[in-house]
Amino acid sequence: MSTTGHPFRQFIVKVHGRCNLACTYCYLYEGPDRTWRTRPAAAAPAVLERTADRIAEHARTHGLTAVSLVLHGGEPLLAGAGTLARFTEAVRTRLPAGCVVLPTVQTNATLLTEDRLTVLARHGIRIGISLDGGRAEHNARRVDHAGRPSWPAAARGALLVAERFPASYAGVLTVVDPTLDPVETYDSLLELRPPALDLLLPHGNWSAPPPHWGEVRYGDWLCAVFDRWWSAGHRETRVRLFEECLALLLGLPAATESLGLAPFDALVVETDGSIEQVDSLKSAYEGAARTGLDVFRHAFDDAARHPGVAARQTGAAALADDCRACPLLTVCGGGHYAHRYRAGHGFRNPSVYCADLQRLIRHVSGRLTVDAVPAPASREGGTP
């Protein structure tokens, strides 16, 4: 068993490298990186078999008790539910005794059917859905290659999961659009009955700022949703960003790419077997996620020694001086790594969302402090 380094615990496998949608804002297919064009559309059986071997090898080396398997794309359902099931079972049967696989497929929901969901549920594969909100107008930029709206099919798929396969429903991932009403967007998503929400800031950096940057405050948008969520009186759904922020403020461990100083533990296997850093880096520049490694010639421990990966596992030491001096360091953690990039200066910068993260963290801290203080006892009726 290895006693050094930080093992990977999340394996994002590109079972299919193309998408049936052509979302106008997609950083992966519309951004600066074009490496997807030279890769196979789908992962060959040999790539998936070797990836399963490598995941099991890594789990055995590091004595892992669980690994997260994210079946990704593109749109992974283009590979077929049967392929996803077979690959999941290949990983499951290879893992050492005492180690379990936690599989999730991240889909745009347009291809979900009763039959496909039955196959996925039978193999314990949970369903994560990517949507921009719970209304057609929220998803106007999510169109197919002919420019037709994806919302009717996506809504049908999401509601099918909620109604017929609730135990398989992992939740909804939503990229924040600050031009939409925050509370209305959150309420619309609740109508899809997700057990959890991931609210993600759109990928951008100092050289290619995010949409509407400087015009609106992403932090204000998030604070408005937090207040709606926090004041509900009961937990309507989990919101990962908020729960992780609260945990970090309370000094508890948290595992998220967007906050905190915990070593990042995910990596990607592309359709050709290339081992890469996470896709978000592709929003920075061509080849930013590349490691030069592949599952046929390299173990995942080799990826841990890549400078880009190592930088994400060294905590505060990899951050800009301003970040290390910030009183919010242990909660913010410098923000999402991809959002720190500046051409000519690399990633050793504060996040392009620095002001927004400070706004959210201070707001959450304030609510936590105020709501934790007991209300003064009433003096009516002579009560002391």
Side-chain angles (χ1 to χ4, degrees):
M1 180 186 302
S2 173
T3 57
T4 61
H6 301 286
F8 298 107
R9 300 176 189 274
Q10 180 179 170
F11 301 92
I12 303 166
V13 181
K14 299 293 192 74
V15 290
H16 206 285
R18 303 294 186 267
C19 190
N20 62 324
L21 299 186
C23 302
T24 58
Y25 59 91
C26 181
Y27 73 90
L28 186 58
Y29 298 111
E30 301 295 333
D33 189 278
R34 289 289 185 266
T35 53
W36 63 271
R37 294 179 180 272
T38 60
R39 292 197 168 105
V47 169
L48 297 179
E49 289 291 315
R50 192 57 173 154
T51 299
D53 289 338
R54 290 300 190 189
I55 292 172
E57 173 188 61
H58 196 73
R60 190 174 298 108
T61 298
H62 293 276
L64 302 182
T65 57
V67 296
S68 173
L69 179 65
V70 183
L71 306 168
H72 215 279
E75 170 49 54
L77 283 171
L78 288 173
T83 296
L84 305 185
R86 287 189 294 273
F87 175 54
T88 298
E89 290 305 317
V91 174
R92 187 173 278 135
T93 57
R94 285 166 169 79
L95 287 175
C99 184
V100 298
V101 60
L102 307 172
T104 303
V105 58
Q106 190 65 38
T107 174
N108 58 39
T110 61
L111 301 179
L112 291 173
T113 64
E114 182 99 14
D115 288 346
R116 288 171 181 146
L117 284 166
T118 298
V119 171
L120 297 173
R122 186 184 304 132
H123 292 272
I125 301 171
R126 303 186 73 209
I127 316 299
I129 297 174
S130 300
L131 290 171
D132 292 344
R135 301 271 190 275
E137 56 269 27
H138 299 160
N139 294 277
R141 297 176 298 169
R142 298 178 68 83
V143 296
D144 69 12
H145 291 274
R148 295 169 298 197
S150 66
W151 173 249
R156 183 169 57 250
L159 289 172
L160 180 62
V161 177
E163 293 167 2
R164 296 281 292 111
F165 299 86
S168 299
Y169 200 177
V172 173
L173 181 155
T174 293
V175 177
V176 171
D177 182 345
T179 66
L180 298 177
D181 181 271
V183 173
E184 193 271 340
T185 301
Y186 173 78
D187 287 341
S188 73
L189 288 165
L190 289 182
E191 295 173 13
L192 300 174
R193 287 171 272 169
L197 286 177
D198 264 351
L199 296 176
L200 305 182
L201 293 168
H203 291 315
N205 54 66
W206 293 104
S207 296
H212 310 290
W213 189 65
E215 302 170 16
V216 292
R217 292 281 300 271
Y218 284 85
D220 290 343
W221 197 98
L222 290 171
C223 288
V225 178
F226 176 83
D227 286 343
R228 165 67 181 81
W229 175 78
W230 181 256
S231 304
H234 64 284
R235 191 169 74 177
E236 298 168 309
T237 187
R238 299 185 62 187
V239 180
R240 184 181 180 193
L241 178 65
F242 300 157
E243 292 186 350
E244 300 287 9
C245 184
L246 287 163
L248 290 162
L249 284 166
L250 292 170
L252 301 173
T256 176
E257 192 175 3
S258 301
L259 294 174
L261 290 169
F264 191 56
D265 63 359
L267 88 154
V268 173
V269 177
E270 286 283 356
T271 57
D272 61 355
S274 296
I275 300 171
E276 294 209 336
Q277 300 180 72
V278 290
D279 280 348
S280 55
L281 293 181
K282 296 178 180 180
S283 65
Y285 59 90
E286 171 87 16
R290 187 181 294 126
T291 66
L293 309 175
D294 65 74
V295 294
F296 296 103
R297 298 176 298 156
H298 305 95
F300 289 139
D301 272 359
D302 294 325
R305 290 186 282 273
H306 184 275
V309 175
R312 304 192 69 180
Q313 296 193 333
T314 55
L319 298 180
D321 293 343
D322 288 349
C323 293
R324 293 201 302 273
C326 179
L328 302 181
L329 170 64
T330 57
V331 180
C332 174
H336 196 296
Y337 190 78
H339 301 165
R340 306 174 200 168
Y341 179 73
R342 187 191 296 272
H345 299 270
F347 294 91
R348 203 180 182 93
N349 309 287
S351 168
V352 72
Y353 289 109
C354 179
D356 299 290
L357 293 172
Q358 290 197 44
R359 169 84 171 96
L360 174 64
I361 293 167
R362 294 184 191 280
H363 181 78
V364 173
S365 177
R367 290 299 305 267
L368 186 63
T369 301
V370 170
D371 292 352
V373 175
S378 170
R379 294 186 177 274
E380 294 181 7
T383 303

